[in-house]
Amino acid sequence: MARIRSSETSPERALRSALWRLGHRYRLYSKRLAGKPDIVFGRRRVVVFIDGCFWHGCPDHYVPPRSRSDYWSAKLKINTERDARRTVELEQLGWRVVRIWECEVELELDRAVARIVAAIENDGWKPEPRWVVVSVTPLRGERERRTLRTSRAPYAEKVETRFRSFRRQGVSSRQRAC
Ligand SMILES: [Zn+2]
């Protein structure tokens, strides 16, 4: 995935400057770590990924493209499985992994910052459960069946049928990035 680094987009910059103001010093974008996390707090062993809603299957904003649905559905599966695998790899190496949806950064910046700070500061920190859309099957009558999975053990899955969303494909500037 030729991911274009969009660290200069304003939501991410706002997130970084909020963390900086709180006194948390980080490195950006470590190539040496699995999945190339966006923000790395080396001493505290915390990595942060800011996941674009489209590419990583945000339950609120993933809308499958209307054309080439087999291609997009395979792509979503690859991306979400890779995210889950890399999260586990990093956790096995002793990193705390915080995955934040890009929409959270754009819409709930304070909450996103609080989640990161909790991982840095709280000794008993545990990752929050997170649901990810892993597949969407179009059904007749403008309906669709979505499968969502939790991205960490204990894994859980749920299937829901709903009307297809006509919302634009999310809020993400990163949609164009890979
Ligand atoms: Zn989203």
Side-chain angles (χ1 to χ4, degrees), residues 2 5 28 31 36 68 74 91 99 105 133 145 150:
R5 303 309 306 178
L28 293 178
K31 279 186 187 168
K36 300 173 187 166
R68 303 175 70 205
E91 286 175 346
R99 300 202 79 113
V105 178
V133 180
R145 188 171 52 236
T150 51

Side-chain angles (χ1 to χ4, degrees), residues 52-53 58-62 101-104 171:
C53 298
C58 168
D60 295 331
H61 301 106
Y62 179 75
W101 294 114
E102 192 163 51
C103 59
E104 293 181 75
V171 290

